[in-house]
Amino acid sequence: MLDSGNQGAGQHRTTTVEKGSFSTARCSCGWYGPARRARDKARADAAGHTTERAAESTAEPAPGPPPPRSAPSSSPADSAAWDSTP
């Protein structure tokens, strides 16, 4: 089994697991790669996952929702229409 080592809290920790003649990359986040006959390909999958996640964590966060729409104007004519009950 190959281990990416301790990368700190909240970081992805990848390993390769062998089952029979196949090797699979796995991560502490729950991700796993396809079963590979070549260990090098499984290691490359693990490295690619770690690199991809590191790039995502350094990217700027997505913008939040737009601000709420403002209330209708409060002119006397408008307020009478809003305050009246049918």
Side-chain angles (χ1 to χ4, degrees), residues 12 27 36 50 53 61 66 77 79 82-84:
H12 292 263
C27 183
R36 305 279 194 177
T50 304
R53 297 299 170 224
S79 64
W82 285 97
D83 292 336
S84 64

Side-chain angles (χ1 to χ4, degrees), residues 24-78:
T24 303
R26 295 186 184 267
C27 183
S28 60
C29 72
W31 172 89
Y32 61 93
R36 305 279 194 177
R37 286 195 181 261
R39 289 185 190 112
D40 286 342
K41 287 187 178 183
R43 288 184 195 122
D45 291 340
H49 172 72
T50 304
T51 303
E52 181 179 300
R53 297 299 170 224
E56 286 178 2
S57 67
T58 59
E60 292 184 23
R69 297 180 73 188
S70 61
S73 68
S74 59
S75 68
D78 289 340

